[in-house]
Amino acid sequence: MGVIKDILRTMDYGPSPEGSEHVKAWLEEHAGGFGLFVNGAFTQPRDLFEVFNPATGEGIARATQGSPADVDAAVAAARKAQAKWAALSGFERSKHLYALARHVQKRERFLSVLETIDNGKPIRESRDIDIPLVARHFYHHAGWASLIDSEFAGTKPVGVCGQIIPWNFPLLMLAWKIAPALAAGNTVVLKPAEYTPLTALAFAAICVEAGLPQGVVNIVTGDGATGAALVAHAGVDKIAFTGSTEVGRAIRKATAGTGKKLSLELGGKSPFVVFEDADLDSAVEGAVDAIWFNQGQVCCAGSRLLVAESVAEALYAKLRARMANLRVGDPLDKSTDVGAIVAPAQLERIKRLMREGEQEGLEFFRADESLPARGCFYPPTLVTGVEPASVLAREEIFGPVLVATTFRTPDEAVALANNTRYGLAASVWTENVNRALEVAARVKAGVVWINSTNMFDAASGFGGYRESGFGREGGREGLLEYRIADAPKIKPSSAKPARLNAAPGLLPARAVAGSELDRTAKLYIGGKQARPDSGYSYAVLDPAGREVGLAGLGNRKDIRNAVEAAAKAGSWGAATAHNRAQVLYYAAENLSARAAEFARRLRAMTGASARAAEAEVEASIRRAFVYAGYADKFDGAVHATRSRFVTLAMNEPWGVMGIVCPNEAPLLAFVSLVMPAIAMGNCVIAVPSASHPLSATDFYSILDTSDVPAGVVNIVTGEANALAKTLAEHDGVDALWYVGDAKGAAEVEALSAGNLKATWVSASAVDWRKAEGREFLRRATQVKNIWTPYGE
């Protein structure tokens, strides 16, 4: 211990340990091991695995390895409780969530210390960030629970939710998952990470103390096999997963075709962009929070520093000086800045990636590599001279490592920021507000912080683009993940699959029904009619088996060409919503002018009565008008989050969307699916009804005369499931809607795991007369939350 005069001179921090006696006593009470929490009670401990303190390597507890039978029991308890929980008034559910928030607050110190011992993060972070945010999420969603009926009219709870959380924010991730699920009227089975189950088990005890009804929350501990059993369980209606992209991809495949709702919050390689006019001292402090917070074990960590070349060396110098003052050590010391890596396996992964970086000849800086003699520690590290192709620039390190690359122009900065398969978050540092907002709009990320980083609040959605997953957690958009449309049940479709009578080139002339309508329809790609790459067409038959026309038999190459055309038309998304509305109104006007022609086509193809055909065309015109009206009225929001921040929730188009239409209502279904997508700024590749494609191919003459830019709508006819498979596999497709049969729906979901594109599938018949509204618009967009400083 130094003398006071020396401490005043050097201003060095001395040790400031946080007391842990109460946590140790609690752990000793459970020295025999922790059971599972099922149906409101703990089971007897068995099949135990060891839980370690990463800062010391010592075993601190033992938890039960959940089996498939345990998952069965937990799901059964959740199912039994769900109807009663959903039947409670919003006010009653609100009171339960409020009680959970209050009990968390009463035990803030206990939970903070337990989290730090179990996870290795500094006590300052557990105490000042994690646990207060846990309480905030339960308070916030207590409010939503009481507003469900008025704010989410026409929706109902999903049912039983399986939730799998990671080890980097064990209790906070639990709150992110459980609070909205309960507020929305669901029950849950949650599996915490194998490394860090203890605060979840402590929360289970809080559920008992707070009087939460039995079975509403169930917690099953275990390793990946337990999580896999939960994902595969037929009694689960929704899976919510936070973790690695690799596991998220496996979950997408496992849930394909099951009808389970799915949300994924996955990995990231987030850019931290510093322009030449930025306040460098503030940017340095931001970088400390971005990458050395929680030892860099943060999915949205600002791990890629992109800095203007003119200020790079000055920023690096400031960073090195700041790194020299970071204290690495005992996480229970209130003066510690960087704690322990969660487990030896994760520490070894970091070291392996760093060895690969060293082999590439990169420059490393570590202020002080003297680390505690025991435990899983890694020093804060700055790596400069990193090329975009470097393994350290591409791979998520998930450790306290900042990799730096320089840029010269704003365009280059945006290109580098988007040069990743991820898209979770970004941080932009500049004193130029116009530049900040321009870059925020162009960066492909679900969250953008301006002159700030790692800002979180229960009122704001959080989630990623691209291979960082889909779905949001927090705010209104997060709650919607736990509700589904309360639509009337419709009998499954009895329509038979289309018969594609393919033959080389043009088919021989035959007796044709309605010969005045006979034509060979081409594909429509990039604003032009195009012959199918296969050179084949197929006969379109009426219900009596008579040929009414020919349609092109599209293939993989045609889809490729259509995706390329759609990608080139990306400026459609940048057009004003008013301009998009005008185009849609114009299309509706032109369809109205040719209503009789389209009605005759429907009668010839489908055998519908004149009255029914006219009604379908009229409904299609109305549908186009509806989405023209919505184009400039589907607003974002300003979330009420932190003081002095405006958090903008912006609805952004996916980009390139695939749309596979059903055989039923061939014109109305086509219009009902394509119009909301393009109204929101997407460009689409539409596969129309395979049995009755000619209404859609006639529609491209409407597009030609309605100022729809080339490539915004592309139409590829042919066998629907084969083309859907190609769209699902294509990495250039950002989202895919499919209405068809169960086999096709399952295949679309499974194959979409390649680039984790968002999907919306239906294998049931749809009442297309009523199929419109905000749900279509919500599915046609993704939310970007932009945190902008406001005032002083």
Side-chain angles (χ1 to χ4, degrees):
M1 179 72 95
V3 296
I4 292 178
K5 66 177 183 179
D6 293 333
I7 294 173
L8 290 174
R9 185 182 71 255
T10 63
M11 298 301 290
D12 284 342
Y13 288 106
S16 180
E18 177 72 50
S20 58
E21 295 77 12
H22 51 311
V23 170
K24 290 179 179 178
W26 181 75
L27 293 173
E28 288 173 3
E29 289 175 12
H30 296 87
F34 289 91
L36 311 176
F37 184 68
V38 177
N39 201 31
F42 283 95
T43 65
Q44 287 297 314
R46 56 177 174 74
D47 300 327
L48 299 172
F49 63 89
E50 198 82 11
V51 180
F52 296 91
N53 180 340
T56 64
E58 297 173 345
I60 52 175
R62 293 184 297 165
T64 295
Q65 170 63 40
S67 67
D70 295 321
V71 172
D72 284 342
V75 172
R79 177 63 64 193
K80 182 179 179 181
Q82 198 273 322
K84 290 182 179 179
W85 177 251
L88 291 177
S89 68
F91 171 63
E92 291 297 326
R93 288 200 301 274
S94 178
K95 288 197 294 183
H96 282 293
L97 286 159
Y98 176 80
L100 291 172
R102 292 290 293 128
H103 278 73
V104 166
Q105 282 188 313
K106 291 175 184 177
R107 288 160 178 77
E108 277 188 339
R109 185 165 178 270
F110 173 88
L111 293 170
S112 299
V113 173
L114 180 60
E115 194 79 304
T116 288
I117 290 175
D118 197 16
N119 169 271
K121 64 176 62 190
I123 186 64
R124 288 190 301 110
E125 295 177 6
S126 299
R127 179 195 64 202
D128 299 340
I129 300 173
D130 289 28
I131 307 307
L133 273 174
V134 170
R136 163 71 172 144
H137 273 267
F138 282 105
Y139 277 126
H140 179 78
H141 287 93
W144 275 127
S146 62
L147 301 173
I148 284 288
D149 292 338
S150 59
E151 292 294 315
F152 296 90
T155 67
K156 63 181 180 180
V158 176
V160 174
C161 300
Q163 302 178 324
I164 303 172
I165 59 174
W167 42 258
N168 54 343
F169 294 92
L171 192 58
L172 182 55
M173 291 296 100
L174 176 148
W176 278 26
K177 295 284 191 293
I178 288 181
L182 268 53
N186 306 283
T187 54
V188 305
V189 178
L190 180 134
K191 191 201 87 67
E194 180 185 7
Y195 293 150
T196 55
L198 299 183
T199 45
L201 294 167
F203 179 79
I206 286 175
C207 290
V208 175
E209 293 175 2
L212 194 69
Q214 294 179 353
V216 172
V217 169
N218 304 271
I219 295 175
V220 181
T221 54
D223 59 15
T226 308
L230 182 58
V231 168
H233 201 287
V236 172
D237 302 301
K238 171 185 168 63
I239 293 294
F241 171 77
T242 297
S244 72
T245 295
E246 291 71 24
V247 175
R249 188 173 284 115
I251 290 173
R252 169 71 283 182
K253 293 178 180 177
T255 57
T258 64
K260 290 184 174 74
K261 195 170 184 181
L262 177 65
S263 56
L264 300 172
E265 195 264 282
L266 307 176
K269 194 70 178 175
S270 299
F272 187 98
V273 187
V274 181
F275 287 94
E276 67 279 358
D277 63 343
D279 179 336
L280 295 188
D281 291 318
S282 295
V284 166
E285 292 306 310
V288 170
D289 289 338
I291 188 59
W292 294 306
F293 169 59
N294 200 28
Q295 299 74 251
Q297 299 172 134
V298 184
C299 53
C300 58
S303 56
R304 286 190 299 142
L305 172 61
L306 308 178
V307 55
E309 189 177 83
S310 59
V311 297
E313 289 306 320
L315 183 66
Y316 296 161
K318 290 177 178 289
L319 269 172
R320 293 181 184 113
R322 183 67 177 86
M323 291 169 66
N325 292 317
L326 293 176
R327 295 168 64 95
V328 182
D330 180 7
L332 281 175
D333 187 334
K334 291 188 281 287
S335 299
T336 292
D337 297 303
V338 181
I341 304 300
V342 73
Q346 177 60 20
L347 179 60
E348 178 51 38
R349 183 179 186 277
I350 296 169
K351 290 179 176 179
R352 174 180 59 79
L353 286 169
M354 299 306 286
R355 288 193 296 268
E356 293 181 27
E358 288 170 353
Q359 292 170 4
E360 293 177 350
L362 302 177
E363 300 174 20
F364 290 74
F365 174 80
R366 300 182 179 96
D368 185 358
E369 296 195 44
S370 60
L371 301 173
R374 59 176 184 166
C376 298
F377 292 91
Y378 195 85
T381 302
L382 172 65
V383 186
T384 54
V386 179
E387 296 294 332
S390 169
V391 65
L392 298 187
R394 291 183 288 106
E395 295 298 323
E396 186 179 29
I397 301 169
F398 225 62
V401 179
L402 179 63
V403 301
T405 302
T406 61
F407 64 83
R408 293 183 178 178
T409 67
D411 285 345
E412 185 182 3
V414 171
L416 288 169
N418 291 334
N419 184 36
T420 174
R421 58 195 175 104
Y422 301 110
L424 189 53
S427 186
V428 180
W429 294 77
T430 175
E431 294 297 290
N432 185 323
V433 65
N434 293 327
R435 174 181 288 170
L437 293 176
E438 179 194 4
V439 172
R442 294 173 64 190
V443 169
K444 299 295 184 183
V447 181
V448 180
W449 297 293
I450 295 175
N451 292 334
S452 57
T453 192
N454 278 344
M455 304 295 290
F456 305 105
D457 191 81
S460 176
F462 182 87
Y465 286 17
R466 302 194 287 199
E467 292 188 33
S468 289
F470 47 80
R472 294 293 182 265
E473 299 192 88
R476 177 183 289 269
E477 55 264 42
L479 197 64
L480 278 167
E481 297 295 333
Y482 290 93
R483 302 285 289 186
I484 56 174
D486 189 12
K489 292 185 178 179
I490 301 174
K491 293 181 180 180
S493 171
S494 59
K496 296 179 180 179
R499 291 182 293 160
L500 303 188
N501 302 286
L506 295 177
L507 291 178
R510 307 179 185 180
V512 176
S515 58
E516 75 278 12
L517 297 174
D518 183 31
R519 62 181 293 191
T520 300
K522 297 183 179 68
L523 313 182
Y524 186 68
I525 297 174
K528 299 178 181 178
Q529 299 183 41
R531 297 184 185 278
D533 173 70
S534 67
Y536 287 80
S537 298
Y538 70 94
V540 179
L541 308 179
D542 70 4
R546 296 173 298 178
E547 182 182 308
V548 295
L550 301 173
L553 192 61
N555 65 13
R556 179 179 294 272
K557 186 174 180 181
D558 297 314
I559 292 292
R560 183 199 69 185
N561 294 340
V563 172
E564 290 177 356
K568 289 178 182 177
S571 59
W572 173 250
T576 66
H578 170 65
N579 286 344
R580 291 199 300 270
Q582 286 184 304
V583 171
L584 267 66
Y585 278 128
Y586 199 10
E589 178 186 335
N590 286 326
L591 179 58
S592 179
R594 296 172 56 187
E597 174 189 339
F598 275 83
R600 289 198 303 273
R601 174 67 85 183
L602 286 171
R603 292 182 63 192
M605 286 192 304
T606 67
S609 68
R611 183 175 180 180
E614 290 167 1
E616 182 171 339
V617 176
E618 181 60 29
S620 300
I621 296 167
R622 289 199 306 269
R623 192 66 35 87
F625 261 80
V626 165
Y627 289 116
Y630 263 128
D632 59 356
K633 299 175 186 67
F634 187 63
D635 295 329
V638 177
H639 290 316
T641 56
R642 304 286 188 91
S643 62
R644 299 303 182 185
F645 269 90
V646 173
T647 306
L648 304 172
M650 305 297 294
N651 295 318
E652 292 198 344
W654 291 104
V656 176
M657 288 182 61
I659 297 177
V660 183
C661 303
N663 285 323
E664 298 83 3
L667 177 62
L668 181 56
F670 176 85
V671 171
S672 298
L673 293 167
V674 170
M675 287 299 174
I678 65 173
M680 294 296 99
N682 298 285
C683 299
V684 306
I685 300 94
V687 177
S689 162
S691 294
H692 314 301
L694 301 183
S695 289
T697 56
D698 288 347
F699 199 84
Y700 57 59
S701 61
I702 299 291
L703 300 173
D704 282 338
T705 56
S706 303
D707 296 336
V708 179
V712 171
V713 177
N714 305 272
I715 301 171
V716 180
T717 55
E719 204 283 302
N721 282 3
L723 297 174
K725 177 177 182 291
T726 301
L727 285 166
E729 291 174 328
H730 202 299
D731 285 349
V733 176
D734 303 302
L736 178 56
W737 294 355
Y738 171 92
V739 185
D741 58 41
K743 180 180 178 182
E747 190 168 48
V748 160
E749 290 184 325
L751 295 175
S752 72
N755 71 337
L756 287 169
K757 61 175 63 68
T759 60
W760 190 24
V761 305
S762 174
S764 300
V766 176
D767 185 348
W768 291 103
R769 296 168 301 174
K770 302 177 181 178
E772 68 177 28
R774 298 182 69 86
E775 179 69 4
F776 286 80
L777 301 169
R778 189 175 75 84
R779 296 280 190 168
T781 55
Q782 52 190 335
V783 178
K784 174 185 285 184
N785 281 278
I786 303 174
W787 291 66
T788 306
Y790 173 67
E792 296 180 359

